[in-house]
Amino acid sequence: MAKQKIYWFCQLFGWTLLIMVEYLAYLAELGFDADTLYLAIVNIFLGITLTHLYRLMIRRWYWVRLPFIQLAPRVLFSVFVLALIMTLVNLPIDRVIVPQYLVNEPWLFIGYILTWGKTMLAWVLSYTVYHYVERTRNAEIEKILLKTSIRETEAKVLRSQLNPHFVFNALNSIRALVYENPTKAQQSITQLSNLLRNSLLADRRKTVELREEMKTVEDYLALEKVRYEERLTSRIELDGRTLFWQVPPMMLQTLVENAIKHGVSTAIGGGFIEVKSMIVADKLHIIIRNTGVLGDKEASGGFGLANTAQRLELLYGPEAAFQIFQEESTPDQSAETGGSVVCATITIPAQSEGLFRRTSEAMSNAS
């Protein structure tokens, strides 16, 4: 509606200004003449009508979407037709009103065509260029919105693609505890319930506080300790400054699950898993170490590694980083850790307040 009002205002103001300037020049030279005033008014409405019909035509036939090579001849032909109509209306009337100015004019008809042609060309070019610019801008907005939607969809898919196998293992472990240790079984059921609830909520939230994510990790580790007993030991060391940093939900749980599945569970005597957090150079660093041999990342890392890298890229951009590597250890260190150690590191930039900076910029540009 606002664009329609602006369009009609420009039509009325532009054509009135153009015709009245010519009329005032005539008035200053020859004085007032009612017929000339009526002709000026007719030209105003005729110009508005013809150019509006041209506007309807190009919008109906989608001329603006045509490539320049196809559009140019159509525009030039339209300008000629519009100028011809204005000439056929004005020239006969001018012969009656101001015949003295037309007596010795060679190529009179062509002169009228060229005069009105310049006016119509200016209008047509202005309107066509405006539509080209607007169409380009709308295309960019749609592209930004589509890209934002795709990234959001990808992030949701990645959040939802979590390995559910631990549920079956946990239920089997809890079943064994029902008669042996009912209190422990109740506690395990509560931990499994918390874990499942957080897994379901992960699809609705882009990030959670690190302390909340670590509660999920602790519940998961508690359930796995029921299964592995003394074969699994865990250590968690969190810097108090990192507890409120935003991290992708269920990301650390997935990495811890991979560490146990591909590392601790394959070791004959079991192993350990260690989670640390710290702040270095205004960035959150999370380190996950576990017993195991890295080997082929595709085979041993599973979906969790690709999931983590993609989620960090989608949320934080290139400033975030994820690495996993085999630690080089001395014989003494190997004896202390119980064998080889795999280390995974996550780096998240300080964007707690403006977390989705790129998405916000895209949306602001679109508006």
Side-chain angles (χ1 to χ4, degrees):
M1 184 61 68
K3 289 184 179 180
Q4 287 290 333
K5 290 181 179 179
I6 294 174
Y7 165 76
W8 284 113
F9 172 79
C10 292
Q11 280 281 72
L12 290 171
F13 178 78
W15 280 106
T16 301
L17 179 64
L18 174 67
I19 301 300
M20 292 310 295
V21 166
E22 294 183 357
Y23 173 74
L24 291 176
Y26 173 87
L27 186 66
E29 184 176 353
L30 299 178
F32 175 78
D33 180 72
D35 292 335
T36 307
L37 177 61
Y38 297 149
L39 179 60
I41 295 173
V42 169
N43 280 331
I44 291 173
F45 286 99
L46 183 60
I48 292 174
T49 301
L50 291 176
T51 51
H52 182 65
L53 290 175
Y54 170 81
R55 174 177 179 263
L56 295 177
M57 181 179 65
I58 68 172
R59 293 183 67 179
R60 180 173 181 178
W61 293 341
Y62 302 104
W63 281 13
V64 180
R65 299 182 181 180
L66 297 175
F68 177 78
I69 297 178
Q70 298 181 19
L71 178 64
R74 289 174 170 80
V75 169
L76 293 177
F77 179 74
S78 300
V79 169
F80 173 77
V81 172
L82 295 174
L84 179 62
I85 295 173
M86 295 297 290
T87 299
L88 293 176
V89 171
N90 282 268
L91 184 55
I93 298 176
D94 285 348
R95 288 185 185 277
V96 175
I97 298 176
V98 287
Q100 65 275 19
Y101 288 96
L102 308 178
V103 174
N104 298 320
E105 286 289 337
W107 307 99
L108 185 61
F109 186 80
I110 296 177
Y112 266 69
I113 290 286
L114 293 176
T115 299
W116 285 110
K118 289 187 293 184
T119 301
M120 291 299 178
L121 181 62
W123 191 98
V124 168
L125 286 180
S126 299
Y127 187 78
T128 305
V129 169
Y130 165 77
H131 263 280
Y132 258 112
V133 173
E134 184 182 42
R135 180 170 172 266
T136 302
R137 177 176 175 272
N138 290 337
E140 288 297 322
I141 292 174
E142 291 178 1
K143 186 177 179 181
I144 291 172
L145 292 176
L146 178 61
K147 193 175 293 185
T148 302
S149 176
I150 291 174
R151 295 178 74 86
E152 177 62 23
T153 302
E154 289 177 350
K156 285 185 177 181
V157 171
L158 291 173
R159 289 197 298 268
S160 64
Q161 290 182 342
L162 298 172
N163 190 350
H165 291 172
F166 71 88
V167 177
F168 303 105
N169 295 330
L171 288 174
N172 287 330
S173 299
I174 293 172
R175 183 182 63 178
L177 287 175
V178 169
Y179 294 105
E180 297 178 5
N181 192 340
T183 303
K184 183 67 173 177
Q186 292 179 1
Q187 184 181 359
S188 297
I189 291 174
T190 301
Q191 292 166 340
L192 179 60
S193 174
N194 293 336
L195 194 59
L196 291 175
R197 181 176 63 251
N198 290 331
S199 178
L200 292 174
L201 291 176
D203 186 52
R204 304 178 187 177
R205 298 183 293 180
K206 294 183 177 71
T207 60
V208 296
E209 292 178 350
L210 178 61
R211 60 175 182 170
E212 182 177 348
E213 175 71 2
M214 289 309 302
K215 289 180 181 178
T216 302
V217 171
E218 290 172 352
D219 287 336
Y220 174 78
L221 287 173
L223 290 171
E224 290 292 64
K225 284 181 180 179
V226 173
R227 178 185 175 193
Y228 289 100
E229 298 180 341
E230 293 83 6
R231 295 182 64 239
L232 172 63
T233 59
S234 63
R235 297 189 294 270
I236 297 178
E237 299 179 15
L238 303 178
D239 188 330
R241 298 173 298 170
T242 67
L243 296 180
F244 297 95
W245 279 60
Q246 298 291 317
V247 297
M250 302 298 290
M251 181 184 68
L252 297 184
Q253 184 275 334
T254 304
L255 292 177
V256 170
E257 180 181 353
N258 275 336
I260 294 176
K261 179 180 178 181
H262 300 288
V264 176
S265 66
T266 60
I268 297 176
F272 79 99
I273 184 163
E274 177 183 79
V275 181
K276 291 183 178 181
S277 71
M278 62 194 74
I279 295 177
V280 180
D282 293 328
K283 292 183 178 181
L284 171 64
H285 291 260
I286 301 174
I287 301 173
I288 300 176
R289 300 173 69 244
N290 64 273
T291 302
V293 178
L294 183 57
D296 183 9
K297 292 183 181 181
E298 294 295 328
S300 62
F303 177 79
L305 301 185
N307 185 328
T308 301
Q310 291 180 48
R311 292 176 72 184
L312 290 173
E313 167 64 22
L314 288 172
L315 288 173
Y316 304 100
E319 295 183 24
F322 172 72
Q323 293 181 328
I324 185 167
F325 54 91
Q326 188 79 51
E327 285 190 356
E328 296 182 2
S329 57
T330 63
D332 293 338
Q333 291 174 330
S334 296
E336 181 181 350
T337 58
S340 302
V341 175
V342 176
C343 180
T345 63
I346 300 170
T347 304
I348 296 177
Q351 296 180 2
S352 297
E353 296 181 359
L355 184 58
F356 305 102
R357 182 175 56 195
R358 294 183 301 169
T359 303
S360 300
E361 289 176 353
M363 294 302 294
S364 64
N365 290 335
S367 62

